[in-house]
Amino acid sequence: MAHVLILGGRSDIGLAFAHICAHNGHEVCLAARRPERLADDVRDIATRYQVHAETREFDAEDSGGHADWFNQLDQTPDIVLYAAGYLGDVEQATKDNAELERIMQVNARGAMTILEAAVRAMEHRGSGTIIGISSVAGERGRKSNYHYGAAKAALTTFLSGLRNRLSGTGIHVITVKPGFVATRMLQGMQTPAALTATPERCAADMYRAVQRGRDVVYSTWHWRYVMAVIRNIPERLFKKMSI
Amino acid sequence: MSTDQAGKTTALSGWGRFPVVEARESTFADESELRTILQEMNGGIARGLGRAYGDSALAGHVVSTRLYRRMLSFDGTSGLLHAQSGVSIADLLKVFVPRGWFPPVVPGTKYVTLGGAAAADIHGKNHHADSSFGAHIRGLRLMDGQGNIIDCSANDREDVFNSAVGGMGLAGVILDMTLQMQKVESAWITQHIELLPDLDAVIKAFERNAQTRYSVAWIDCLARGNKTGRSVLITGEHAQPDELPRAAQARPLASPPTRRLAFPFTMPAFMLNRISATLFNSLYFRLNSMKRGRSVVPYEPFFFPLDGIHNWNRAYGPQGFLQYQFVLPRGEEDALRLIIERISTSDSAPFLTVLKLFGPGRKTPLSFPLEGFTLALDFPRQPALFGLLDELDQITAQHGGRVYLCKDARLSAHNFRHMYPEHAAFAARRRVLDPNGTFNSLQSQRLGL
Ligand SMILES: Cc1cc2nc3c(=O)[nH]c(=O)nc-3n(C[C@H](O)[C@H](O)[C@H](O)COP(=O)(O)OP(=O)(O)OC[C@H]3O[C@@H](n4cnc5c(N)ncnc54)[C@H](O)[C@@H]3O)c2cc1C
Ligand SMILES: NC(=O)c1ccc[n+]([C@@H]2O[C@H](COP(=O)([O-])OP(=O)(O)OC[C@H]3O[C@@H](n4cnc5c(N)ncnc54)[C@H](OP(=O)(O)O)[C@@H]3O)[C@@H](O)[C@H]2O)c1
């Protein structure tokens, strides 16, 4: 039995991952803002899978407190998933620094500060798995969400560097790049059905990546090829496109 | 996803794929989100897994319990489960059969929610022994049309409880409930299959099997003359571990893997005629004669034979199909014979027809079951069918029987009032719970409820 910490535990993808972990007999801790909203989910997990589940208050925007936050945990988790994310409003971010900073903070900077703290604890023990949910949006800037994309690009680069640094230490780093997932984040948006995964499917892809020790996974796998095409469109064409 | 898809609508139907309407669908993850939705809902209805065949869960605006499906607690000593209404029977089976607990009542598919099971007060093959779903609910919480939450049970706010149970979503949204699960020793059923040559024989066989937990008959409604009513009676009990196949005895509560096929295409309409229905029925009869006698089978094929084929409703072609289920009080077996004869000589050919003997009904005004024989038929939808069903409504109503609302898409308001004499009491209670008309389905409007 492992102990799994999910940062952004109220995210649809994070919660789906908690279910899969608990189903496989692991204890889960859901860390989120206003964790009282997760009380029923914790009862659900405990009832369904007969494992211990708990919540904890966590704010991705409190980078200054992240080191202490992690040190306060009763035990060092075996698996840490960073699932918090903030899509933001691109219009707003073009004129409002607070929105832009929030996008950078929740998707990139907050992930870095809390995951560095997690890695320090894991290094001490000599084992562990870190999973960061980045996004295909980080592979190429598009006018519809380029601040978010830039933050996810930073997260992807951070995770790849971290993996490089920790290679051979027993700590494994996984980068997950979802395409479209039908979660609260996409609420009200029209996405192509064939390329839109359920949060359960995305979570299952992540769990398989843990079991198989993968480094970078797309979810669903189709996106690896979609993004290969998108990355290779010459910039002089791409700049005129609306995708 | 919470609340709403920003006014977006999609084509929605019941399991029979008729009728189809453009509907807006909202979802909620907690009570306050639901309350917000209800504030702007004007004549909408709750929806579970959409297994009602007709228009019970259809309206211009539906509120889905898809994201409201948490199991809140389970007491392994008493078997009491507290769960939200979007939890499905399939969820319960997956979680609790391995621990030795079974839902008290299961319908012919496991893909129904607890909310849908309560709102239609569903029955299973054990109705004569264990009554309907509502009899096993120890308490529930309902959100009424004004966003108030009412705690109720058979002893406390009984009027509200009896409007929620069997109320087809019209009393409000059932939030969560406490359900009495039943203890089982294995995931298997000892099944007995018996062939009966005609209607009299099958009626007697049901009476003979009054003490057996589960019983149901498949009846060949196309057989005529002295074969009228020929049937295959299937009865069963939860098996004891020592009755299981040797290989299964070590882990009696484990379910053997079942295969799930997908129905590959929508059947062209020309294939659905009297000839194919007759062939299907004869084939079914033959296959079962080969399985005659006693056997021990996993619970899934026993309870949910059709769940093995995903989207089997597509087998009925682009026109969709109509389910028709009625019950006649005990003593009205002659009317039952009349109806079967009427069907066997009509131009509409039913495919699957199921006969069952119900035990006594409950006090809930809109619950379907009453003591007597119930017959459920699947008809491919074609114009001539509607006239036949109107005729069957007449016969049923005249003999004190009724039609099952969660299978209905066409009953008239007139016949409905005849069949459900307590409709006025229900309507009165509903005016209190929902004075602003927050809840309405296409069905409730058609029935003048
Ligand atoms: C293959 C098959 C076999 C079946 N066999 C049987 C059988 O053997 N016995 C039997 O009794 N029925 C049977 N049924 C019918 C089925 O059990 C009922 O229609 C049941 O209500 C479906 O549940 P659902 O979750 O799909 O609800 P839906 O079809 O979505 O809704 C059904 C009704 O319940 C209401 N409802 C749903 N959720 C709530 C809620 N949370 N609060 C208030 N109201 C709510 C809806 O408004 C609607 O009126 C069968 C159906 C199929 C497809
Ligand atoms: N859905 C997609 O198509 C998609 C595609 C690519 C990548 N992703 C990524 O997948 C991850 C999970 O998102 P999701 O799709 O599951 O959407 P989601 O349900 O909206 O989850 C996002 C979560 O981030 C949390 N969060 C935001 N700001 C926070 C903060 N300051 N502190 C703590 N938590 C904060 C939110 O918490 P609250 O519940 O408190 O609001 C929310 O639970 C995100 O990183 C997202 O960027 C999603």
Side-chain angles (χ1 to χ4, degrees), chain A residues 125-169:
Chain A
R125 186 184 54 199
S127 69
T129 300
I130 300 277
I131 315 168
I133 309 188
S134 186
S135 171
V136 296
E139 297 201 357
R140 197 148 195 188
R142 294 181 301 124
K143 61 185 171 191
S144 56
N145 61 13
Y146 61 98
H147 309 93
Y148 172 79
K152 289 295 191 185
L155 177 60
T156 301
T157 306
F158 166 81
L159 292 168
S160 108
L162 191 63
R163 174 159 48 244
N164 185 212
R165 183 188 121 205
L166 296 173
S167 140
T169 62

Side-chain angles (χ1 to χ4, degrees), chain A residues 8-14 31-33 37 58-61 82-86 102 106-107 133-136 148 152 177-186:
Chain A
R10 209 175 88 94
S11 84
D12 289 330
I13 297 174
R33 300 183 289 191
R37 293 176 299 168
F58 168 74
D59 187 348
E61 287 171 77
Y82 190 86
Y86 181 61
R102 189 147 181 232
V106 176
N107 294 299
I133 309 188
S134 186
S135 171
V136 296
Y148 172 79
K152 289 295 191 185
K177 295 181 178 179
F180 296 129
V181 189
T183 67
R184 225 174 293 149
M185 190 174 273
L186 295 193

Side-chain angles (χ1 to χ4, degrees), chain A residues 10 12 15 23 37 39-41 43-50 182-190 200, chain B residues 1-6 8 29-30 33 68-74 81-82 84 87 91 94-96 99:
Chain A
R10 209 175 88 94
D12 289 330
L15 197 54
H23 180 63
R37 293 176 299 168
D40 286 347
D41 293 288
R43 293 173 69 183
D44 186 30
I45 289 171
T47 306
R48 282 179 196 255
Y49 314 109
Q50 295 177 288
T183 67
R184 225 174 293 149
M185 190 174 273
L186 295 193
Q187 190 180 318
M189 287 184 218
Q190 294 276 14
E200 290 75 22
Chain B
M1 240 174 287
S2 63
T3 57
D4 189 66
Q5 289 287 327
K8 200 177 79 177
D30 57 40
E33 287 179 359
Y68 200 68
R69 48 149 199 255
R70 303 177 187 91
M71 296 186 189
L72 299 171
S73 66
F74 179 69
L81 169 76
H82 183 201
Q84 293 177 341
V87 167
D91 287 337
K94 190 162 79 192
V95 170
F96 292 108
R99 295 190 217 168

Side-chain angles (χ1 to χ4, degrees), chain A:
Chain A
M1 184 197 62
H3 185 74
V4 183
L5 170 66
I6 299 174
L7 301 157
R10 209 175 88 94
S11 84
D12 289 330
I13 297 174
L15 197 54
F17 187 73
H19 274 265
I20 297 183
C21 292
H23 180 63
N24 285 282
H26 308 310
E27 282 182 356
V28 295
C29 173
L30 304 173
R33 300 183 289 191
R34 293 174 46 213
E36 65 282 0
R37 293 176 299 168
L38 285 164
D40 286 347
D41 293 288
V42 162
R43 293 173 69 183
D44 186 30
I45 289 171
T47 306
R48 282 179 196 255
Y49 314 109
Q50 295 177 288
V51 298
H52 179 73
E54 60 180 25
T55 60
R56 212 166 249 276
E57 176 148 24
F58 168 74
D59 187 348
E61 287 171 77
D62 180 25
S63 273
H66 281 172
D68 287 343
W69 187 92
F70 209 93
N71 291 337
Q72 269 173 29
L73 297 178
D74 316 322
Q75 67 183 117
T76 301
D78 302 285
I79 300 175
V80 175
L81 168 67
Y82 190 86
Y86 181 61
L87 186 55
D89 181 303
V90 76
E91 272 286 317
Q92 178 95 3
T94 57
K95 42 193 188 235
D96 173 3
N97 275 345
E99 179 74 352
L100 198 157
E101 267 158 31
R102 189 147 181 232
I103 293 172
M104 293 305 290
Q105 176 65 39
V106 176
N107 294 299
R109 189 160 172 267
M112 295 183 198
T113 47
I114 193 71
L115 292 180
E116 289 291 8
V119 166
R120 281 194 293 277
M122 286 180 176
E123 274 183 307
H124 191 69
R125 186 184 54 199
S127 69
T129 300
I130 300 277
I131 315 168
I133 309 188
S134 186
S135 171
V136 296
E139 297 201 357
R140 197 148 195 188
R142 294 181 301 124
K143 61 185 171 191
S144 56
N145 61 13
Y146 61 98
H147 309 93
Y148 172 79
K152 289 295 191 185
L155 177 60
T156 301
T157 306
F158 166 81
L159 292 168
S160 108
L162 191 63
R163 174 159 48 244
N164 185 212
R165 183 188 121 205
L166 296 173
S167 140
T169 62
I171 302 170
H172 185 60
V173 179
I174 301 173
T175 308
V176 185
K177 295 181 178 179
F180 296 129
V181 189
T183 67
R184 225 174 293 149
M185 190 174 273
L186 295 193
Q187 190 180 318
M189 287 184 218
Q190 294 276 14
T191 57
L195 283 173
T196 307
T198 60
E200 290 75 22
R201 167 69 199 273
C202 182
D205 285 348
M206 299 199 301
Y207 194 77
R208 201 168 327 107
V210 175
Q211 288 177 307
R212 297 192 182 165
R214 300 275 305 276
D215 296 324
V216 180
V217 290
Y218 286 82
S219 179
T220 58
W221 58 267
H222 308 87
W223 284 92
R224 180 179 294 276
Y225 304 97
V226 174
M227 294 318 292
V229 172
I230 290 180
R231 272 195 317 269
N232 283 298
I233 300 173
E235 191 69 15
R236 97 193 108 75
L237 289 180
F238 193 78
K239 72 178 181 191
K240 297 181 193 147
M241 293 169 70
S242 289
I243 51 171

Side-chain angles (χ1 to χ4, degrees), chain B residues 180-260:
Chain B
Q180 177 68 61
M181 300 282 281
Q182 54 160 318
K183 193 100 194 86
V184 292
E185 303 296 327
S186 81
W188 297 70
I189 301 286
T190 25
Q191 160 184 281
H192 190 267
I193 293 183
E194 194 179 339
L195 301 188
L196 287 319
D198 57 31
L199 190 61
D200 282 334
V202 67
I203 289 173
K204 290 211 184 70
F206 269 113
E207 288 165 348
R208 225 175 26 246
N209 276 289
Q211 302 306 317
T212 314
R213 186 71 169 267
Y214 299 104
S215 62
V216 70
W218 165 84
I219 171 163
D220 181 356
C221 270
L222 296 172
R224 301 183 192 179
N226 61 3
K227 281 190 186 155
T228 301
R230 73 167 174 171
S231 302
V232 178
L233 178 74
I234 304 171
T235 57
E237 298 275 0
H238 289 284
Q240 294 301 311
D242 59 7
E243 297 175 292
L244 306 194
R246 194 60 70 66
Q249 288 189 5
R251 295 174 60 223
L253 292 164
S255 304
T258 44
R259 248 188 315 158
R260 202 167 147 81

